[in-house]
Amino acid sequence: QVQLVESGGGLVQPGGSLRLSCAASTYSFSSLSMGWFRQVAGKNREFVATISGSGGSTYIADSVKGRFTISRDNAKNTVYLQMDGLRPEDTAIYYCASSRHFIPRAMSDYNSWGQGTQVTVSS
């Protein structure tokens, strides 16, 4: 089981930026695809972005494409979500997750999850 710890959430004004980080405790980080999901209370968890183990392949949800970027630093066992042009509808708890599948988008393909970090976009 991979332990994942997210950080970087907070309160930001519309149009602002945040960078989320997710640190993983595993010796095989570079073999894992990593993903970001988000969830609003009372709604299903929603896929945001995923990146392959090498970092060479990514997939971004249409709802955030052009505003969010996923990246990783395998030397630091960390994956990032750069969020620009934030909107109130981006408000959610953001979770990172790890998977042995290739850039999966389904929650069921991820087997380890972090505890989440709150992002609030409000003026």
Side-chain angles (χ1 to χ4, degrees):
Q1 189 83 358
V2 179
Q3 290 189 322
L4 303 170
V5 179
E6 302 98 334
S7 61
L11 173 64
V12 63
Q13 292 187 342
S17 298
L18 281 176
R19 188 176 82 156
L20 305 183
S21 299
C22 174
S25 62
T26 175
Y27 291 108
S28 59
F29 183 70
S30 62
S31 70
L32 300 173
S33 289
M34 298 297 295
W36 286 97
F37 289 75
R38 65 187 182 184
Q39 188 170 23
V40 176
K43 294 189 176 182
N44 291 332
R45 197 166 293 189
E46 173 191 21
F47 168 79
V48 175
T50 183
I51 187 168
S52 62
S54 68
S57 298
T58 62
Y59 189 90
I60 309 292
D62 287 343
S63 58
V64 302
K65 193 172 292 182
R67 301 188 296 121
F68 290 13
T69 304
I70 188 170
S71 63
R72 65 192 294 159
D73 184 339
N74 286 346
K76 295 183 179 180
N77 276 22
T78 301
V79 62
Y80 304 98
L81 185 68
Q82 178 67 41
M83 306 186 293
D84 300 316
L86 283 162
R87 304 167 179 169
E89 55 263 38
D90 294 318
T91 296
I93 299 175
Y94 284 72
Y95 298 89
C96 74
S98 65
S99 173
R100 296 199 176 277
H101 298 275
F102 181 72
I103 53 172
R105 280 158 274 172
M107 282 183 55
S108 57
D109 286 333
Y110 289 84
N111 56 341
S112 293
W113 293 82
Q115 83 289 347
T117 186
Q118 176 71 48
V119 171
T120 302
V121 185
S122 175
S123 54

